[in-house]
Amino acid sequence: MTGWLVFGGFALGALALLLLIRFPRRFWTVPAMAVMLAGAGYAWQGQPGLPDRPAQGVTSVRPLDPDLIAAREGLFGRFNFDYSYFMAADAMTRVGSPQRAATVMLGAVRKAPNDLGLWAGLGLALAEHDGDQISPAARYAFDRAEQLAPNHPGPPFYRGIALARSGDLAAARQAWGRALRLVPPTASYRNEMVGVMLKLDPGLAAAARSALSANPSAAR
């Protein structure tokens, strides 16, 4: 009943406001109809019988990985058409709204349907929105990105991130292996890509530490 009490309070407040501004009585049918429609809509779509409770905030927000951002800029460019949409999606992710981040990227691919970077970004955003599970929509986005540029390292790199977050590390390593084979050896963003992989795959990180321990000169 709390919901109806709040609704009734708003209705009474509206009535008081109409009296205060001396709204012409011959036109009162207009606000009365609005209140009736609002009440009907609340009864239909809302749950007025539920007890009130404090609003729940965002329980967890995934921090943006600076290595991922640096790798993305190296893979897909900076200060270009893609960049503005990635930044907007980042802002939504930063405040804990993966749904809005996915919406931003979906709008981006609608405007540039042949942009591989935006399709890869959409795939990752959709996977995060779906609780780090690769939904058919996310899989389609990754596939589309790879179809547009079969020899570009970005799409398999992003697919690997989604796979790792979903817990499928074996498939993630396969995707990342393909991405690294496609990256030019002198690419400035290669180290950032590897940094992202090591953060998401504890097995790779342990293997890297073991290799460095066995051969300290490799770290130089």
Side-chain angles (χ1 to χ4, degrees):
M1 294 297 295
T2 304
W4 283 119
L5 291 175
V6 174
F7 182 83
F10 279 118
L12 291 175
L15 175 62
L17 179 62
L18 292 175
L19 292 173
L20 181 64
I21 65 176
R22 296 182 179 180
F23 191 80
R25 291 181 179 273
R26 63 179 181 275
F27 296 132
W28 274 43
T29 54
V30 176
M33 183 64 69
V35 172
M36 289 176 61
L37 290 174
Y42 182 48
W44 179 39
Q45 294 286 353
Q47 293 177 296
L50 290 179
D52 59 337
R53 62 181 182 182
Q56 300 296 319
V58 177
T59 56
S60 62
V61 177
R62 171 173 286 145
L64 297 175
D65 184 352
D67 283 339
L68 177 55
I69 294 175
R72 183 183 70 200
E73 292 176 357
L75 288 164
F76 304 127
R78 190 180 184 187
F79 302 126
N80 54 12
F81 181 81
D82 294 17
Y83 183 79
S84 59
Y85 281 97
F86 278 126
M87 290 295 290
D90 286 348
M92 296 300 99
T93 301
R94 191 177 289 110
V95 298
S97 183
Q99 180 179 1
R100 292 181 180 178
T103 300
V104 168
M105 297 310 300
L106 183 60
V109 298
R110 285 175 176 169
K111 289 189 176 182
N114 294 319
D115 191 305
L116 72 102
L118 295 178
W119 277 107
L122 175 62
L124 192 59
L126 288 172
E128 184 166 354
H129 169 256
D130 294 330
D132 287 334
Q133 299 301 312
I134 302 182
S135 63
R139 187 176 295 107
Y140 173 82
F142 289 132
D143 290 344
R144 180 60 180 153
E146 293 188 6
Q147 289 170 2
L148 289 170
N151 296 318
H152 195 287
F157 173 62
Y158 266 50
R159 188 192 294 269
I161 294 173
L163 287 166
R165 289 176 176 176
S166 73
D168 193 348
L169 294 178
R173 291 174 185 176
Q174 291 182 355
W176 285 335
R178 182 169 181 271
L180 289 177
R181 289 192 296 271
L182 293 172
V183 174
T186 58
S188 60
Y189 51 85
R190 186 184 183 94
N191 288 340
E192 283 77 13
M193 291 176 63
V194 173
V196 172
M197 299 172 192
L198 295 178
K199 292 173 187 176
L200 292 174
D201 190 334
L204 282 180
R209 287 193 295 269
S210 297
L212 289 176
S213 299
N215 185 17
S217 62
R220 300 191 184 99

